Every structure is written in structure tokens, then in C-alpha cells.
Amino acid sequence: MARRPALPASLEPLSPAEDAAWRALARAVLVIPRVLDADLLQKEGLNVTEYNVLMNLSEAPERSLRMRELANYVSITMSGLTRVVERLERQGLVERVRAAADGRGQVTVLTPDGLKRLQKAWPVHLASVRRNVIDHLQGVDLEALTTALTEVASIELGPPVRRAKNT
Amino acid sequence: MARRPALPASLEPLSPAEDAAWRALARAVLVIPRVLDADLLQKEGLNVTEYNVLMNLSEAPERSLRMRELANYVSITMSGLTRVVERLERQGLVERVRAAADGRGQVTVLTPDGLKRLQKAWPVHLASVRRNVIDHLQGVDLEALTTALTEVASIELGPPVRRAKNT
DNA sequence: ACTGCTTGTTTGCACAAGCATCTTACCGGT
DNA sequence: ACCGGTAAGATGCTTGTGCAAACAAGCAGT
């Protein structure tokens, strides 16, 4: 029997190893998106969100997806996605078509221009991912990492919270 | 000799294992800040940036730091930090004092209220980190992960890029 | 067919954070 | 003592994104 039965495990401070890992991860989690974003933006004029949208469309059947699905893949809100798709549409990389099956729905289609643009950006982004991330994962067991991170990534978000106005 | 001497390694597509790891990591990197932020905001009315500011101050000698240093620790811009500190100051969690040594400088000091607030928030955030992240890292060699992520986190950002106005 | 509920998407508004620019203060050379 | 250069912070403006509410179309029950 434990001597401190009432103390939930989560209140134990992190072990030194855990603490070190968490500090590194916390920082990496801030740095990775920033670096990749800056890199891709500078070299290809696309941010990572836009890239991911094009990417997911290119992998989808008919090179097209409903907004809802696309939002899930890219892990952003529908409202966010609306704006992203607007930007891409303005550049002619993507087209919006009312869904035949459901008059409310929009189907977003990757245009030939969009595909070209993606094909041009792809190696650049790949190189960036390699250089900035993958190349550093030498000592790490990728399979174990993948399982772990997949679990983490599948966490549900609670209901949204807005900050109180002042005080 | 390799048969494709001109092809830089970075253009090789990712191996299946690398690809899986990268997809998981890419998603985790989006999800982790969102989840922790939402959690802490809901339960303690602080976002992670604010928490990190308080945290770093509490660990610093005199519970105080120059803006510049603080910005580095928290990994945000000075301009960003100015606003964060304003918010915290408005809540009385932090105070700004002109630096004695350097008339341009500000020293940000954690107030007793700020310390109390942090002490209250700390276990909540810790639990959240455990539940949402650490607990999932079971199969992973923490030491190897730490080295890898520390490397990643230390990448330099290139000069900033602003997106072209239109077209 | 009419009414009300549900679902997919867009829009109005707010907020956090970044870049560029400005001010103020320090510092090194003359 | 002055002058140019540089560093610390703050401020104006912009951008991306989120939530909440609006809107529109489908659907189910009567």
C-alpha cells in the first residue's frame, strides 16, 4: 500500500527525466511550426496550413474534399478553413463547387495550377522537414515515438473557453 | 559509389517509418499547445504563455528578469512579451520597475499575488501536462527524445518574411 | 405541404502575436 | 562634451485563427 493514498499520481512532480523531456518538447512544439512556416513562406509563399490543405486535396479521390473533412485532416476550425480556402481560391490554386449531393455543402477542388504549385513546393517543404526535424531524430525509436504521438494527437478538445473581459 | 550522385539526401522521400513519425509529430505539434492552453485557460484563467512568464520569473533570482531575457526563455518576441506583461500587470501578478543598472531597461518582478497564483495554477498545469502528454510517452526512451528535441528546439529562425500584399 | 430540428458553411467580432518603426538611453570615439 | 551607432522596450498596424451567431438547405414527422 502506498503511504500517500490520497495523492493522485498526477500531483507527483515530474521525474528529472520527464521534466527534461517535457521542457524540450514544450520548446520544440513552439519552434517547429514557426521554423517550418517561415521557411516555406519565404521560399514558396505558402504557409504550412495552406500547404496542408493543398496536400490533403492532392491525396484525396477526385482531388477534392468537403470542407468538413478537410478541416479535420488539417486540424483547424471550419471557420479558419473558410478563410484559408478563400486565400487559395484567390490565387487560383483551388476551386469551390456546390456539392451535387447536398446543396448546403461545398466541395473544394485542387486546380491544375494548385497541383503544379504543390509539386513545386513539395520538395522544398520536405527538405525543410528533414533538415529541421527528422535529421535530429537519430537516436529515437521512430515506431515507439509514432505510437506515443498518435495517442497524444488524438486528444479531444473540451468545450471552448473565452477569457473574462477584464478585472 | 551511389548511382544517383547528384541527388541530395534531402530530396529522398521519407521512409515509411519517418513519414508516420512526421505525420504524428506534425499533428501533435498543433494539438499539444491547443489542448494545454484550453485546459489551463478554463481552469485557471491563464494561457500557457502567461503561465510560462510567471514560471520563469519564479525560478529566477530575485523573482525578476529583464524583458529581453524573459522573451528568450518564453520563446516569444519582445513585442509579444510587452503585451503579455501588460496583461499580467493589470492583474497585479507582476510589476515593472526601471532597471537600476540600465535606464532603458525594465525589470519584471513577480509579485506575491503572482506567486500565489502560480502556486495555485502549477499543479493544475502539471496534471494537464501529465494527462495529455507525459502519460502517453510510455514506450519512448526519454533520454534519447530529450537530446533529439533539444537539438530541434535550438534551430535559428531566419530573417522574418512578410507575405506579399496580393495577386 | 408545413413546422421544427439538425447539419454544413460563412460571417462578424475579438484576441494573441508578429514585424516595422519609434523613442530613449547607453557607449565608444574623437 | 558631442556625435553616431547600437540596444531595450513600447507602439501601430497587420495577419491568422478561433468562437458565436447567422444563414441556408436538408430531413422527419405530422
Side-chain angles (χ1 to χ4, degrees):
Chain A
M1 303 276 207
R3 291 279 285 144
R4 287 174 301 182
L7 198 71
S10 30
L11 281 180
E12 296 283 354
L14 299 177
S15 76
E18 286 170 338
D19 187 66
W22 168 238
R23 284 177 194 253
L25 181 56
R27 226 181 155 94
V29 142
L30 292 181
V31 168
I32 290 175
R34 277 220 279 269
V35 170
L36 295 183
D37 224 68
D39 212 22
L40 190 58
L41 197 54
Q42 194 213 335
K43 291 176 183 156
E44 296 293 328
L46 290 171
N47 69 27
V48 171
T49 308
E50 291 158 353
Y51 179 89
N52 283 336
V53 165
L54 297 182
M55 191 69 186
N56 277 285
L57 287 176
S58 83
E59 290 177 347
E62 312 278 330
R63 300 203 156 124
S64 62
L65 284 170
R66 296 287 293 261
M67 296 294 275
R68 171 53 72 117
E69 284 178 281
L70 194 42
N72 283 342
Y73 289 140
V74 183
S75 301
I76 63 174
T77 334
M78 297 253 322
S79 86
L81 180 60
T82 299
R83 282 39 170 317
V84 177
V85 169
E86 274 170 16
R87 295 201 295 271
L88 294 174
E89 200 179 23
R90 250 181 272 130
Q91 303 179 59
L93 307 181
V94 132
E95 258 173 15
R96 278 190 282 192
V97 187
R98 286 230 89 80
D102 183 340
R104 300 165 287 189
Q106 295 276 120
V107 175
T108 307
V109 195
L110 187 63
T111 64
D113 269 21
L115 183 59
K116 260 187 241 151
R117 185 74 174 281
L118 177 63
Q119 282 167 341
K120 181 159 168 294
W122 179 74
V124 174
H125 188 53
L126 172 61
S128 182
V129 168
R130 252 196 202 291
R131 177 166 24 90
N132 293 306
V133 184
I134 308 282
D135 283 353
H136 300 281
L137 299 181
Q138 284 314 322
V140 182
D141 175 357
L142 289 185
E143 226 169 307
L145 182 64
T146 304
T147 341
L149 292 182
T150 304
E151 278 181 42
V152 172
S154 70
I155 295 165
E156 282 300 322
L157 243 57
V161 195
R162 182 170 321 253
R163 187 195 292 268
K165 200 67 192 183
N166 215 345
T167 63
Chain B
M1 308 273 209
R3 292 279 282 145
R4 288 173 304 181
L7 198 73
S10 28
L11 281 181
E12 296 283 354
L14 299 176
S15 75
E18 285 170 338
D19 187 64
W22 168 238
R23 283 176 196 253
L25 180 57
R27 227 182 154 93
V29 142
L30 292 180
V31 168
I32 291 175
R34 277 219 280 268
V35 170
L36 296 183
D37 224 68
D39 212 21
L40 189 58
L41 197 55
Q42 193 215 336
K43 291 174 182 157
E44 295 293 328
L46 289 171
N47 68 27
V48 171
T49 307
E50 291 157 354
Y51 178 90
N52 282 336
V53 166
L54 298 180
M55 190 69 188
N56 277 286
L57 287 176
S58 83
E59 291 178 347
E62 312 278 329
R63 299 204 157 120
S64 62
L65 284 170
R66 296 288 294 263
M67 296 293 274
R68 172 50 72 117
E69 284 178 282
L70 194 43
N72 283 341
Y73 288 140
V74 183
S75 301
I76 63 173
T77 332
M78 298 253 323
S79 86
L81 180 60
T82 298
R83 288 15 166 347
V84 176
V85 169
E86 274 169 17
R87 295 201 294 270
L88 294 173
E89 199 178 23
R90 250 180 274 130
Q91 302 178 60
L93 307 181
V94 132
E95 259 173 16
R96 279 190 281 193
V97 187
R98 286 230 90 81
D102 182 342
R104 301 166 288 187
Q106 296 275 115
V107 175
T108 307
V109 195
L110 188 64
T111 64
D113 269 20
L115 183 59
K116 258 186 242 152
R117 186 75 173 280
L118 178 63
Q119 282 168 341
K120 180 158 169 294
W122 179 75
V124 174
H125 188 53
L126 172 62
S128 181
V129 168
R130 253 197 201 291
R131 176 165 25 88
N132 293 306
V133 183
I134 307 283
D135 284 353
H136 301 280
L137 299 181
Q138 285 314 321
V140 182
D141 174 358
L142 289 185
E143 224 170 307
L145 182 64
T146 304
T147 344
L149 290 182
T150 304
E151 279 181 40
V152 171
S154 69
I155 295 166
E156 283 301 322
L157 241 56
V161 195
R162 183 171 317 255
R163 188 194 291 267
K165 200 65 192 183
N166 215 346
T167 63

